[in-house]
Amino acid sequence: MATPGAGGNLQAKLVLLGDMGAGKSSLVLRFVKGQFFDYQESTIGAAFLTQTVAVNDVTVKFEIWDTAGQERYHSLAPMYYRGAAAAIVVYDITNTESFTRAKNWVRELQRQGNPNLVIALAGNKADLASKRKVETEEGQSYADENGLFFIETSAKSAQNVNEVFYEIARKLPKAAPAPQPQGLNLNAQGRTQPKRSCCSTS
Amino acid sequence: MCSAELFLNATCVASSEELKIYKKRSFEAQRQSTQHAAMASAESSGEQASSGPTGTYEVVYIKDNVSVHPSPLANERISGRLKLIKQGQSVFLTWIPYNQSGIADDSGLILSPSEGAPVTPPQAPGRKDKDRNLYTIRAVSLSEIRSIRRHTPTLGWNYIIVVLTTGLAFPPLYFHNGGVKEFLGVLKEHALLVRSAEDANVYLVNDIQDPLQRSLTSLDLPEAVTPVRELEPLEEERVSAQEGPDEGGSALQPLVVSRRGPEGGVLDRLPQKHVDPLRDASIHILTQFSKVTRFVRDATTQLSGQNDRPLARSGMLGLPERAPVPPPVAPAVQRQPSAGLGEALPGRGAGDAGAGSRMEEDKDEPELSSLGAFELVDGLEEESPALVWGRPRPPPLGAEEWATFLDSEGRVSDPAGLRKRVFHGGVEPDMRREVWKFLLGYFPYESTRAERKALQANKAKEYEVLKGQWQSVSEDQAKKFAKFRERKSRVDKDVVRTDRTLPFYAGDDNPNVEALRSILITYSFYNFDLGYCQGMSDLLSPILYVMDDEVDAFWCFAALMERMASNFHRDQNGMHSQLLSLRKLVKLLDPPLDDYFRQVDCLNYFFCFRWILIHFKREFEYDNVLRLWEVLWSRYLSDHFHLYVCVAVLKRHRRKIMDEQMEFDTLLKFINDLSGRIELEGTLRDAEALCRYAGDAGVACMPPAPPPTDETQIEGPEG
Ligand SMILES: Nc1nc2c(ncn2[C@@H]2O[C@H](COP(=O)(O)OP(=O)(O)OP(=O)(O)O)[C@@H](O)[C@H]2O)c(=O)[nH]1
Ligand SMILES: [Mg+2]
């Protein structure tokens, strides 16, 4: 859930799901550190990173869970998407299997029954146009049918990477009005209890 | 950083280029080149080298023609080479017999053209390799040496007798070419050498007069710490233990006793069950000496006749009574959990562990401090080097010493001894190619050189058949074979991002990347039910790097997977049971940390998932991964030693974890970010200490034998 942090800012748990090699870690790395590696190692278990963005008057601190893509580790995924405010489901536009798996992830997330979960569908590796196997329209129409936000990205060229996260940030407050334990306004300064004082982002 | 790279390059060259000519070289040449490589790296990176990669060491003294005389018969003399080897701050003494009796240098050690293993030249009558190897002195740390006695008989050669702190002595070492004085001279540069007041021919090694210093030194040694109480039971029982005043009262016993206390023989008073496993260092020596007690007696009488006082202090007079020898490889894991150390571990302070009262803990601290122990004890945490166990790890197993493990037909005559040696010191880079095959179970220890050659030939054929199975799948066939396509594509995705920054796997069209791919696809056909799973490429990469041969690497990998397959089972049973074991171990060895993890709801230990799945492959520099793995594969103290390594690392950071109130997310990030920042040797020492301390209680935490891979573990939709 997106929860109000200190200073009226949001903390939002975000999870990345998608087939192995689709580029989940690369997208996160590009977003958080502005880096890209051709030889990005596979993710074993999961990784956790944070990054804060400002949208309008609110800053959103993303607590990002980057998961391992292989189907074999599927049983661990719920641990990471449980309680998430947002998910980015990633596929590789040069690989139809990864698109199939993306759809499976979307179905699974929708079954979790959090109507406020913001789901983005990212067709990654857009820079590899010559090897494209999944057309933009396919991704777009699937997203439309399922009420997802769709965008094609490239972690390599940085195309649309920040956009995914900003768009999610914009959708968050609307989609997931944060529980306001003390009845406080989102923008009220410094009165809400941060989840952890050491990690407050204000 | 710089030295690590240099070192890596050096090993790289050794394993890819040199291996091709390796077979034609003599051992000595091989060893020298290794030494040069190590030294070159040491020189060029200055000071860093000594604290740098684990393999860096330096031979500070070599003396040829130093002999053992098992009998008065001249033809029974065993000639060998005496060495002092320096690694980091520690110096080790070794004496390795030549393979060929009576030949004055070890150029007699030649390599078989077929497999690079030493071939024993014709034997001198009446003395087999095995007997010769009985006398081998394998890397004894100077800190384990009590004294050296010099003998200068008017007739015959000068000799020395090395007496260990445990009271045991090695057989006399005769210097056929003279040079005892020079030896002592070199020794003096590396250890405190003091002439005994009673006998000018006895040199006391490391004899530190200052009592505080002495207790500090003895702290390094396992014997120094007496057990205060039985290992704490798990929580349920702990509650009731709180009420017992007896348990609480025992905390007042001295925590640390100097081994060389004036009353002498603290060791002798310890019940045997405490002493045996902890005096592990001497077990090997003891075993040898059970067969050569004559020497011990000689040495003892000679010395005790002339040197009553120092002997009394070192407890040597008790020797004959203590002579009963523990089993050669005392399976330490089977012993009582109460032995030693406990109180030296953070979180196991008497107060904190059992009765749990703050008062008691406070009471203990000054006592510890007054013994100079507290700082050392606390050193287990955070970055400071851990000194709880403190025995320096010996240098890695080298070619000469490896040769002593083989009988004339190439069988490993003492597998347990080998595993123990590897556990403690690892293997020199050049020797891994050979030794790993045994450690992994590809080569049976009892196989002869000829049998192994045949085995390899068969395995090469078998591999070709397996590889042919998928290579012969035609394009049309593949179109209708989704499972195959998926499997291949998954391997393809991973091999191109496995250790590509390493020179061995770098660059486009690298044949090693291709070999990695072939092996993994072949394996997924060989073990079709298991298939390919992420993490496997990490496990294979170091094996292929070391083997530098596709066939050998495949079979070594397959052997490793025999042990690790359950890590990759679909239902994660292998991982779950190990994570559960880890949880039990932390509960056992660090109850406050366990409590903390419970509070923050982290008892699933998933933050250690990567550590366990691929055995710390991502956590250390490559050469340290190699070292860690051979230690794990030695399976000397435990088949699950990696779990103790997990505890050791967690313990080093427990304070930070708890102070910063890390929760699952921050904890996972913290743990992942430790990658590349864990000091290996100290961690291994801690893990060893923890494992020995845990004893039977630790064994009880271990995961059950994993179920074999069956249909329930086969892949689902992924193929
Ligand atoms: N050309 C191109 N390559 C990319 C892009 N994103 C990722 N890659 C490459 O694709 C491979 C896999 O990327 P990762 O980010 O590791 O994929 P992942 O989804 O995290 O994979 P797992 O951790 O195995 O689940 C790496 O070699 C990346 O360099 C991209 O936008 N364009
Ligand atoms: Mg990843």
Side-chain angles (χ1 to χ4, degrees):
Chain A
M1 289 297 143
T3 47
N9 299 315
L10 283 178
Q11 295 192 52
K13 175 172 172 180
L14 181 151
V15 63
L16 282 107
L17 300 166
D19 201 5
M20 61 181 276
K24 300 177 292 298
S25 302
S26 300
L27 285 172
V28 176
L29 205 66
R30 173 61 82 185
F31 173 57
V32 174
K33 296 188 182 157
Q35 296 170 331
F36 176 80
F37 298 110
D38 280 322
Y39 302 132
Q40 178 63 41
E41 289 177 314
S42 67
T43 304
I44 302 285
F48 179 76
L49 295 95
T50 59
Q51 176 67 301
T52 305
V53 298
V55 222
N56 304 327
D57 290 340
V58 185
T59 62
V60 177
K61 180 186 177 189
F62 281 117
E63 299 181 325
I64 305 167
W65 290 90
D66 173 23
T67 62
Q70 189 174 8
E71 165 65 24
R72 191 76 57 101
Y73 299 115
H74 192 137
S75 63
L76 306 180
M79 185 164 58
Y80 300 111
Y81 65 61
R82 195 179 302 129
I88 304 178
V89 177
V90 185
Y91 68 91
D92 171 355
I93 64 153
T94 70
N95 183 317
T96 47
E97 291 297 329
S98 73
F99 187 50
T100 309
R101 283 222 61 209
K103 293 182 204 168
N104 290 339
W105 279 120
V106 171
R107 254 193 305 277
E108 177 165 344
L109 287 173
Q110 288 174 336
R111 270 205 308 272
Q112 297 311 305
N114 171 9
N116 294 324
L117 180 71
V118 178
I119 304 178
L121 180 67
N124 190 41
K125 308 201 187 178
D127 56 297
L128 299 176
S130 60
K131 295 187 185 167
R132 178 189 285 277
K133 296 274 169 50
V134 184
E135 294 307 321
T136 311
E137 296 70 45
E138 285 181 75
Q140 185 68 60
S141 64
Y142 178 79
D144 292 346
E145 286 160 29
N146 289 275
L148 322 171
F149 159 59
F150 174 73
I151 196 164
E152 283 194 344
T153 58
S154 166
K156 186 165 187 168
S157 72
Q159 173 198 336
N160 285 341
V161 175
N162 288 346
E163 282 74 0
V164 192
F165 289 91
Y166 277 90
E167 189 55 31
I168 289 173
R170 268 192 289 275
K171 287 177 190 263
L172 274 180
K174 268 184 285 160
Q180 294 173 22
Q182 282 105 40
L184 290 172
N185 184 301
L186 249 193
N187 290 319
Q189 294 295 303
R191 305 234 301 274
T192 43
Q193 194 61 33
K195 195 168 147 232
R196 276 177 302 279
S197 53
C198 62
C199 305
S200 130
T201 56
S202 58
Chain B
M1 212 44 225
C2 156
S3 73
E5 254 162 43
L6 262 170
F7 181 75
L8 209 59
N9 287 340
T11 41
C12 234
V13 171
S15 63
S16 57
E17 286 307 311
E18 290 194 17
L19 278 177
K20 300 195 178 89
I21 41 171
Y22 172 85
K23 291 164 183 169
K24 296 187 191 88
R25 286 211 198 154
S26 80
F27 261 151
E28 195 43 37
Q30 182 71 23
R31 274 185 61 82
Q32 271 164 9
S33 78
T34 315
Q35 279 162 19
H36 287 156
M39 302 254 228
S41 114
E43 277 159 21
S44 55
S45 55
E47 287 209 299
Q48 285 187 338
S50 54
S51 59
T54 51
T56 312
Y57 65 90
E58 195 187 334
V59 178
V60 293
Y61 171 84
I62 292 191
K63 183 74 187 172
D64 276 305
N65 274 330
V66 176
S67 305
V68 170
H69 298 179
S71 82
L73 297 174
N75 70 350
E76 298 234 313
R77 286 173 196 152
I78 306 168
S79 244
R81 173 179 283 180
L82 185 67
K83 276 193 205 176
L84 292 174
I85 299 167
K86 184 171 182 198
Q87 185 176 41
Q89 292 309 305
S90 312
V91 176
F92 298 85
L93 177 141
T94 70
W95 178 82
I96 305 218
Y98 303 138
N99 231 5
Q100 189 173 10
S101 203
I103 286 192
D105 65 37
D106 52 2
S107 60
L109 269 177
I110 51 164
L111 291 174
S112 139
S114 58
E115 24 177 340
V119 162
T120 316
Q123 298 290 306
R127 191 146 292 282
K128 294 208 193 93
D129 259 4
K130 228 175 162 181
D131 304 333
R132 228 195 315 279
N133 293 344
L134 195 62
Y135 302 98
T136 304
I137 301 175
R138 294 189 180 118
V140 175
S141 163
L142 290 194
S143 65
E144 289 174 60
I145 296 178
R146 165 76 188 139
S147 66
I148 292 176
R149 189 178 207 285
R150 182 171 70 152
H151 292 258
T152 46
T154 36
L155 265 179
W157 297 283
N158 291 350
Y159 63 93
I160 58 168
I161 295 177
V162 178
V163 182
L164 299 177
T165 53
T166 53
L168 292 168
F170 285 111
L173 294 170
Y174 291 83
F175 283 60
H176 283 224
N177 296 346
V180 172
K181 218 181 199 158
E182 288 79 357
F183 168 70
L184 292 170
V186 175
L187 202 62
K188 212 167 194 161
E189 292 168 21
H190 299 281
L192 199 60
L193 214 57
V194 180
R195 276 194 175 205
S196 157
E198 288 83 10
D199 182 341
N201 280 320
V202 172
Y203 294 80
L204 303 170
V205 182
N206 290 315
D207 187 56
I208 297 161
Q209 299 303 322
D210 175 65
L212 174 66
Q213 277 290 335
R214 190 186 296 164
S215 73
L216 281 170
T217 321
S218 59
L219 228 205
D220 288 352
L221 294 156
E223 298 91 323
V225 187
T226 47
V228 167
R229 59 169 70 231
E230 293 291 305
L231 183 65
E232 287 310 319
L234 294 182
E235 192 179 52
E236 302 74 54
E237 295 108 338
R238 260 201 296 143
V239 178
S240 60
Q242 279 186 17
E243 276 116 48
D246 287 345
E247 284 87 345
S250 61
L252 295 173
Q253 289 175 12
L255 296 181
V256 177
V257 194
S258 166
R259 241 172 349 92
R260 300 180 196 155
E263 69 281 23
V266 166
L267 282 175
D268 300 347
R269 293 202 317 266
L270 289 176
Q272 198 61 26
K273 68 173 181 181
H274 292 152
V275 176
D276 288 352
L278 291 176
R279 293 173 59 219
D280 169 84
S282 51
I283 287 174
H284 173 76
I285 299 156
L286 281 165
T287 319
Q288 291 191 337
F289 277 87
S290 68
K291 295 159 189 160
V292 285
T293 36
R294 184 156 43 104
F295 282 122
V296 183
R297 261 198 309 276
D298 287 354
T300 311
T301 21
Q302 274 176 355
L303 284 169
S304 60
Q306 298 157 21
N307 273 315
D308 279 316
R309 278 193 55 209
L311 285 171
R313 286 206 297 150
S314 66
M316 246 192 78
L317 290 175
L319 183 65
E321 287 75 47
R322 288 199 286 125
V325 173
V329 203
V333 287
Q334 281 171 21
R335 114 205 103 67
Q336 297 301 306
S338 50
L341 269 175
E343 304 311 316
L345 299 172
R348 300 295 306 164
D352 204 20
S357 106
R358 196 61 222 167
M359 294 259 296
E360 275 192 43
E361 205 178 341
D362 291 343
K363 218 164 33 186
D364 284 345
E365 284 182 19
E367 251 187 80
L368 279 162
S369 302
S370 67
L371 285 163
F374 193 71
E375 289 75 13
L376 294 175
V377 164
D378 211 27
L380 185 56
E381 287 185 25
E382 302 302 331
E383 261 53 75
S384 53
L387 293 165
V388 169
W389 188 247
R391 180 196 302 141
R393 291 173 55 79
L397 173 73
E400 275 177 69
E401 196 184 337
W402 166 243
T404 69
F405 280 101
L406 301 173
D407 72 11
S408 54
E409 291 179 82
R411 292 183 201 87
V412 175
S413 37
D414 178 16
L418 174 67
R419 287 166 49 222
K420 177 180 171 180
R421 176 65 179 89
V422 172
F423 176 79
H424 284 119
V427 181
E428 270 183 22
D430 286 349
M431 297 311 298
R432 289 189 167 126
R433 197 168 185 250
E434 172 118 1
V435 179
W436 278 23
K437 291 177 182 131
F438 292 91
L439 294 177
L440 283 167
Y442 172 34
F443 284 174
Y445 287 115
E446 65 280 5
S447 60
T448 63
R449 213 170 272 121
E451 285 163 355
R452 293 198 288 273
K453 219 178 151 184
L455 175 85
Q456 262 178 316
N458 283 337
K459 290 293 184 185
K461 279 190 215 130
E462 202 181 328
Y463 178 73
E464 285 316 310
V465 171
L466 289 166
K467 189 175 172 182
Q469 286 176 357
W470 61 268
Q471 282 190 322
S472 63
V473 172
S474 70
E475 243 173 74
D476 275 355
Q477 193 185 357
K479 276 184 192 143
K480 304 179 187 92
F481 195 173
K483 209 161 191 161
F484 171 62
R485 286 198 313 272
E486 271 183 49
R487 215 166 250 205
K488 219 167 64 162
S489 93
R490 259 185 281 128
V491 171
D492 284 338
K493 280 178 196 166
D494 274 2
V495 292
V496 296
R497 49 186 179 142
T498 303
D499 295 321
R500 296 300 299 283
T501 50
L502 209 74
F504 187 77
Y505 291 112
D508 296 337
D509 302 320
N510 183 321
N512 296 321
V513 176
E514 186 54 35
L516 208 58
R517 173 178 182 271
S518 297
I519 294 171
L520 289 170
I521 299 177
T522 306
Y523 183 78
S524 84
F525 270 72
Y526 172 73
N527 189 345
F528 201 85
D529 284 347
L530 190 63
Y532 173 75
C533 197
Q534 282 195 298
M536 287 184 184
S537 68
D538 280 282
L539 293 179
L540 173 59
S541 157
I543 292 177
L544 179 61
Y545 167 79
V546 163
M547 293 300 146
D548 201 18
D549 176 277
E550 190 174 321
V551 174
D552 286 339
F554 174 85
W555 290 108
C556 284
F557 175 70
L560 178 65
M561 291 308 296
E562 287 295 310
R563 297 175 190 174
M564 293 185 69
S566 74
N567 283 16
F568 302 103
H569 285 173
R570 164 159 289 274
D571 66 0
Q572 300 286 311
N573 60 44
M575 289 302 296
H576 283 298
S577 63
Q578 289 176 83
L579 290 167
L580 180 65
S581 294
L582 175 57
R583 172 182 159 183
K584 290 181 189 163
L585 272 189
V586 172
K587 193 170 184 176
L588 181 75
L589 296 165
D590 195 344
L593 188 62
D594 172 68
D595 280 346
Y596 177 77
F597 286 148
R598 182 190 315 277
Q599 278 165 35
V600 293
D601 204 15
C602 285
L603 284 179
N604 62 22
Y605 281 85
F606 264 100
F607 49 89
C608 295
F609 189 88
R610 187 170 80 190
W611 290 1
I612 293 177
L613 187 84
I614 50 174
H615 282 187
F616 291 89
K617 161 69 165 50
R618 300 273 180 95
E619 320 309 322
F620 293 100
E621 304 273 346
Y622 209 69
D623 53 340
N624 275 342
V625 170
L626 309 183
R627 171 58 38 81
L628 170 68
W629 284 9
E630 60 207 12
V631 170
L632 296 180
W633 296 343
S634 75
R635 308 216 280 183
Y636 171 63
L637 278 190
S638 167
D639 287 357
H640 305 280
F641 192 69
H642 63 290
L643 297 178
Y644 291 94
V645 177
C646 292
V647 181
V649 180
L650 288 175
K651 269 183 159 296
R652 287 183 163 223
H653 301 283
R654 65 194 297 277
R655 187 96 335 272
K656 191 173 167 71
I657 289 170
M658 293 193 279
D659 285 354
E660 295 185 10
Q661 303 251 300
M662 293 183 194
E663 295 184 22
F664 187 66
D665 49 8
T666 37
L667 188 56
L668 182 98
K669 181 169 166 50
F670 174 73
I671 296 284
N672 281 351
D673 291 349
L674 284 181
S675 172
R677 302 198 290 116
I678 307 173
E679 194 264 314
L680 180 63
E681 296 290 318
T683 302
L684 284 175
R685 279 205 304 264
D686 290 355
E688 180 184 352
L690 290 164
C691 185
R692 289 176 185 280
Y693 173 55
D696 280 347
V699 174
C701 296
M702 290 300 114
T709 307
D710 58 28
E711 301 87 75
T712 64
Q713 303 305 336
I714 62 172
E715 299 162 88
E718 61 174 347

